[in-house]
Amino acid sequence: MSPGIVVFLLGLFAVPIVLLSWGHKIRWLSPAKRSAFWGAVIGHCAAGVLALSFGMIPPESWTPDETVRGFLGLWSLLVLPVLGGVGGALFGPHRR
Amino acid sequence: MAATVLKPDPPVAVRPVHRATSRQRMSKAAFHIHLWLGVLSTMALIAIAITGILLNHKRGLGLMPEVEHAPSAAFVDATSLERLAHAALEAAPPAARPGWNPGDPVDVGLIDRMDVRPRNGFVKVRLRDKASTEATVDIGSGRVVHVGRRGDVFLEKLHSGEIFGGQPFVILSDIAAVALVLTLITGYWLWLVPKLHRGHERKKGGDHA
């Protein structure tokens, strides 16, 4: 199993589970953590749309040195929620 | 003789023990199954649903070539499979048959499948290239009727999960399907059981009145 597939499976199944268990405690989280949570949720939703869209590009259109499709199709489901979480914690509305 | 006076025990504050009924326990379990499985399988189910809709309309969307054809000869006079495959390979674009040149013997490694349609009088020869190129060949004359790509093959693999690494990954769509069934059942439970219970309680209250 390639690293891309492992990351994809983590993003597909592990990230929603982590977000859901995190969301259960949202009332007791600090404002920064709440912003991080919502950032991660938005990141995961955006990644879902991107992964679906780029995943449906037919294989004859793929080029061997293409990285954007691989990133958005496989890695984005894990990377974007993490980036969204970090972004939410650093620049979320709690800082205003 | 001293009289024995029996005094009652002082009242002890009895804390009511709330025991969940089996219905309440089932409802709680149903809620958690519904929530966790729903969240776990959302992305996979959306992908399966979208690819399913596209596959249902593959002809309309032009993902699968529609070739109208009538048999040009009796089935008994059909050309040999080897000659039909040769004709298909010759007609296919060079990118779809790497390393094979017209005149070479048929390389079966390049062919995915040959789908014979005796009533229509043609065979669909699908190649194993990225685009899943398919040539439609008349089984009577060996004439190539149509050459085109099969966009639905990739969608089918995405739909089943096979695209991620072959047959073992079909388990991904199986997991999503089982999750969907359990989510539906628990959804019905969560909606229907409180309604039925309330109706039952109301009836009981009406009987006592």
Side-chain angles (χ1 to χ4, degrees), chain B residues 11-71:
Chain B
V12 180
V14 180
R15 202 172 154 201
V17 180
H18 177 72
R19 283 224 174 95
T21 62
S22 60
R23 186 183 57 81
Q24 285 168 325
R25 279 197 300 271
M26 278 292 286
S27 291
K28 200 178 171 189
F31 170 76
H32 283 288
I33 291 170
H34 193 77
L35 176 68
W36 288 83
L37 280 183
V39 168
L40 184 79
S41 59
T42 301
M43 279 293 295
L45 284 174
I46 290 173
I48 290 171
I50 292 174
T51 50
I53 292 168
L54 293 174
L55 284 170
N56 279 345
H57 302 280
K58 57 187 174 187
R59 285 187 179 84
L61 292 168
L63 297 168
M64 180 185 168
E66 189 68 54
V67 182
E68 292 298 325
H69 188 257

Side-chain angles (χ1 to χ4, degrees), chain B residues 46-158:
Chain B
I46 290 173
I48 290 171
I50 292 174
T51 50
I53 292 168
L54 293 174
L55 284 170
N56 279 345
H57 302 280
K58 57 187 174 187
R59 285 187 179 84
L61 292 168
L63 297 168
M64 180 185 168
E66 189 68 54
V67 182
E68 292 298 325
H69 188 257
S72 63
F75 191 56
V76 70
D77 299 323
T79 314
S80 74
L81 286 178
E82 191 273 334
R83 282 190 58 197
L84 293 168
H86 199 276
L89 282 173
E90 261 187 357
R97 46 171 169 81
W100 189 89
N101 295 305
D104 290 352
V106 170
D107 180 359
V108 287
L110 294 171
I111 298 169
D112 180 37
R113 66 188 67 175
M114 293 174 76
D115 177 9
V116 182
R117 306 286 174 94
R119 277 188 295 126
N120 302 102
F122 62 65
V123 57
K124 290 178 170 187
V125 184
R126 194 187 299 173
L127 304 183
R128 291 180 61 197
D129 61 323
K130 272 186 177 177
S132 301
T133 304
E134 189 177 80
T136 309
V137 188
D138 187 306
I139 53 174
S141 64
R143 181 177 64 89
V144 176
V145 181
H146 180 270
V147 180
R149 51 179 280 272
R150 285 287 299 257
D152 59 319
V153 175
F154 169 66
L155 280 179
E156 261 173 34
K157 285 182 179 171
L158 198 60

Side-chain angles (χ1 to χ4, degrees), chain A residues 38-55:
Chain A
W38 287 115
V41 169
I42 292 167
H44 195 252
C45 291
V49 174
L50 289 171
L52 274 175
S53 312
F54 278 80

